Amino acid sequence: MTNSIKDSRRDLRERAFQALFSLEYGDNIEDAISFIYTYDQENSETDDQQVIPDYLIALVKGVVDTQSQLDQLIEEKLKAGWSLLRLTKTDKIILRLGLYEIRFYEDTPDRVAINEAIELAKKYSDVTSSKFINGLLSQFITDKK
């Protein structure tokens, strides 16, 4: 049994962000995804086995599998004097996730990927970060055209 709110693309994207964040601290992919997805089900009245949505798995594994390429692309767009090392973990993960959807996940329209990245930044970072993320990811859309 799945929860429709929990399975919205926005919510799954947020869970992907959370799983990717936990991977920064040494968790393995399967455990991170499983824990993030099933965490709020601990006190659920159902004992049904939770089926983790393919979209969530695709986002997390996709970002992990292409991380070095994503980081290189992001690094190339950063202004002089900036590097990935200067970015907060939160902003770095949001950028990776947004760029992965723009470059490799064709089911997500580019503007949706950017808007969702901005929403994640507003929730988990700050207004400055959301503007920065918008500007940086928008460059990749411009480059595609």
Side-chain angles (χ1 to χ4, degrees), residues 14-142:
E14 183 174 349
R15 290 173 185 278
F17 163 78
Q18 294 167 344
L20 290 164
F21 195 86
S22 73
L23 292 175
E24 291 284 317
Y25 295 96
D27 290 346
N28 71 51
I29 294 173
E30 290 77 18
D31 288 346
I33 293 170
S34 179
F35 177 76
I36 294 299
Y37 187 71
T38 60
Y39 177 74
D40 64 346
Q41 298 299 313
E42 281 184 6
N43 297 319
S44 174
E45 294 178 14
T46 181
D47 290 331
D48 293 344
Q49 182 86 16
Q50 293 294 312
V51 176
I52 299 171
D54 291 340
Y55 179 68
L56 174 58
I57 295 168
L59 287 181
V60 175
K61 288 189 175 187
V63 170
V64 169
D65 291 346
T66 60
Q67 184 172 320
S68 61
Q69 185 178 0
L70 294 169
D71 287 353
Q72 181 181 354
L73 291 167
I74 293 166
E75 188 92 45
E76 290 170 4
K77 296 291 184 196
L78 293 174
K79 292 184 180 181
W82 280 86
S83 70
L84 282 174
L85 295 174
R86 284 190 66 187
L87 300 180
T88 64
K89 285 186 190 302
T90 302
D91 291 351
K92 201 178 333 184
I93 294 165
I94 293 169
L95 283 168
R96 287 173 183 154
L97 185 56
L99 182 55
Y100 174 76
E101 286 197 272
I102 290 168
R103 292 292 297 248
F104 301 106
Y105 201 84
E106 295 180 11
D107 290 348
T108 304
D110 293 342
R111 289 303 318 164
V112 170
I114 289 177
N115 289 335
E116 293 296 323
I118 291 168
E119 291 304 314
L120 284 171
K122 286 178 182 176
K123 185 170 183 176
Y124 291 98
S125 200
D126 59 33
V127 175
T128 305
S129 290
S130 64
K131 290 177 183 177
F132 167 72
I133 287 167
N134 180 27
L136 195 103
L137 291 178
S138 293
Q139 292 178 50
F140 291 102
I141 293 175
T142 302

Side-chain angles (χ1 to χ4, degrees), residues 2-12 37 51 53:
T2 58
N3 179 338
S4 62
I5 293 172
K6 190 172 159 169
D7 290 343
S8 74
R9 288 254 170 156
R10 174 169 280 181
D11 189 67
L12 292 173
Y37 187 71
V51 176

